[in-house]
Amino acid sequence: MQQNIDLSPYNTFGIQASAKAFTTVHSVSEVQALIQSPAFIQQKVLLLGGGSNLLLTQDFDGLVVKIEIMGKEIVRETDDQVVLKVGAGENWHALVLYCVERGWGGVENLSLIPGTAGAAPMQNIGAYGTEMKDVIVEVEAVEIRTANVHTFSNEACAFGYRDSIFKQQAKGLYIITAITLALTKRDHALNISYGAVRETITALGYAEPSVKAISDAVIHIRRSKLPDPAVIGNAGSFFKNPTIPAAHYAALQQHYPSAPGYPAEEGMVKVPAGWLIEQCGWKGKRTGNIGVHQHQALVLVNYGGGKGNDLWQLALQIQHSVKEKFNIDIHPEVNVV
């Protein structure tokens, strides 16, 4: 247990904020021991994975617990499928590459998403037409109240768009310790319909789609659009893409014929938040040490020395302008503390 720890190395925004107390856990038994200790029970707690979905607006007057449970284990395997259990602390992109290198399909569209395996199901991470819910078999988690280990099936996780039971009814009640994925070994359901994946595969010289080709294409696209947190502090996409009624989208197209939209649940259309923000004139805007990225309006950035609360105030201004111009609410994808 450490005291007064600088959290800037533990969040991809690089925001300077201190934690009153800080510790790491490396196993289920360590999690169980920690949550029954006075150090955990007597103060507020912040669970930390890769810090890639976090905006710290102030010092944290409590205990920060960094999840570093590692390991990968094949639970079962057939000629068609491999079921893989992964520790919550494993780096997500490294895990994707591990699967791609072995020709296992299912997570290739989720390449280069920052964060850890344990955080992935919390917000049902997704990109280029694939979501976490498409590959999750189950999630293992320790219940904070009892220290018992629970297993959540895919259905029990109640996955929604960037959402799950762990952000709703079970928020703050469990610590995710492992996830189990079902991956294909052949006859892959390759998804190249979203964005520029198909065109990028061809541009990279691949004759036809494959697990490796899709992963390489997604990595190429993301690197061309999104800044590297190691160079410029950011948390990737700051806002979720909103879904609006089809009638609202039709009205939007009357004024903006080129307005992009993608079919969502029945009667709804998903509109890229980045496009809405760009239309409001925010792309590339900078105020002091913070701003909106010049190539992707969906990404808020810390150029160095920026304050978390200033970034949050910028986000609120962006929300207000989108609401005012389009009558569309956009909500943060990032966890604001």
Side-chain angles (χ1 to χ4, degrees):
M1 192 78 64
Q2 299 171 277
Q3 307 297 319
N4 301 316
I5 294 299
D6 176 21
L7 296 175
S8 56
Y10 301 108
N11 73 95
T12 58
F13 264 122
I15 296 294
Q16 283 200 322
S18 67
K20 180 181 175 183
F22 181 92
T23 192
T24 58
V25 287
H26 304 86
S27 67
V28 171
S29 60
E30 285 189 14
V31 170
Q32 291 171 314
L34 176 66
I35 63 180
Q36 296 175 88
S37 70
F40 188 96
I41 295 168
Q42 294 172 2
Q43 58 191 325
K44 59 183 179 180
V45 175
L46 173 64
L47 301 177
L48 190 63
S52 60
N53 195 45
L54 176 68
L55 175 61
L56 294 165
T57 61
Q58 58 191 326
D59 290 339
F60 189 74
D61 186 28
L63 171 64
V64 172
V65 180
K66 191 166 191 310
I67 310 298
E68 294 190 352
I69 302 171
M70 312 303 282
K72 296 182 284 288
E73 174 194 358
I74 293 177
V75 177
R76 57 184 178 273
E77 185 173 8
T78 67
D79 290 341
D80 299 312
Q81 186 186 68
V82 59
V83 177
L84 185 70
K85 184 175 182 179
V86 183
E90 290 282 348
N91 176 275
W92 175 258
H93 179 57
L95 171 63
V96 171
L97 295 183
Y98 176 89
C99 297
V100 168
E101 285 165 7
R102 287 156 178 76
W104 300 342
V107 292
E108 57 277 0
N109 292 59
L110 305 178
S111 296
L112 211 63
I113 294 179
T116 57
M122 288 189 67
Q123 65 168 37
N124 186 24
I125 61 169
Y128 300 99
T130 297
E131 290 184 314
M132 195 71 202
K133 68 175 177 61
D134 301 326
V135 291
I136 278 276
V137 176
E138 59 189 31
V139 174
E140 177 191 275
V142 175
E143 185 179 16
I144 292 172
R145 184 178 62 86
T146 64
N148 292 334
V149 177
H150 289 254
T151 301
F152 291 81
S153 66
N154 185 302
E155 185 179 6
C157 289
F159 289 122
Y161 174 57
R162 301 299 175 270
D163 201 12
S164 73
I165 192 172
F166 304 106
K167 289 181 73 174
Q168 301 297 333
Q169 306 97 302
K171 183 176 182 180
L173 303 181
Y174 293 85
I175 297 177
I176 294 175
T177 51
I179 63 173
T180 302
L181 310 176
L183 306 161
T184 53
K185 293 175 66 177
R186 60 186 184 188
D187 299 327
H188 308 296
L190 301 177
N191 188 341
I192 59 171
S193 60
Y194 196 98
V197 174
R198 186 190 302 270
E199 296 87 341
T200 306
I201 287 172
T202 302
L204 291 177
Y206 287 100
E208 58 185 28
S210 65
V211 168
K212 178 76 162 61
I214 292 173
S215 177
D216 285 350
V218 168
I219 291 169
H220 181 86
I221 295 167
R222 290 183 70 91
R223 281 183 173 154
S224 70
K225 288 185 174 183
L226 301 172
D228 183 349
V231 179
I232 302 176
N234 73 92
S237 301
F238 195 92
F239 295 99
K240 301 183 219 179
N241 293 323
T243 54
I244 61 175
H248 190 167
Y249 178 66
L252 177 66
Q253 282 193 305
Q254 297 241 322
H255 295 282
Y256 302 89
S258 62
Y262 303 92
E265 58 267 29
E266 189 175 346
M268 303 292 284
V269 177
K270 186 182 294 183
V271 180
W275 182 86
L276 296 169
I277 295 166
E278 186 173 345
Q279 297 305 307
C280 291
W282 288 103
K283 187 176 180 180
K285 279 209 170 183
R286 176 172 178 171
T287 305
N289 294 327
I290 64 166
V292 180
H293 195 255
Q294 59 183 338
H295 299 311
Q296 175 51 269
L298 198 54
V299 178
L300 306 190
V301 294
N302 173 20
Y303 291 102
K307 305 293 185 185
N309 193 53
D310 291 341
L311 272 162
W312 179 231
Q313 293 305 313
L314 172 62
L316 292 175
Q317 291 175 48
I318 292 170
Q319 279 184 310
H320 177 75
S321 64
V322 170
K323 176 69 172 179
E324 194 171 52
K325 188 178 183 73
F326 298 108
N327 193 29
I328 295 175
D329 292 307
I330 57 172
H331 299 286
E333 190 172 314
V334 170
N335 184 28
V336 181
V337 175

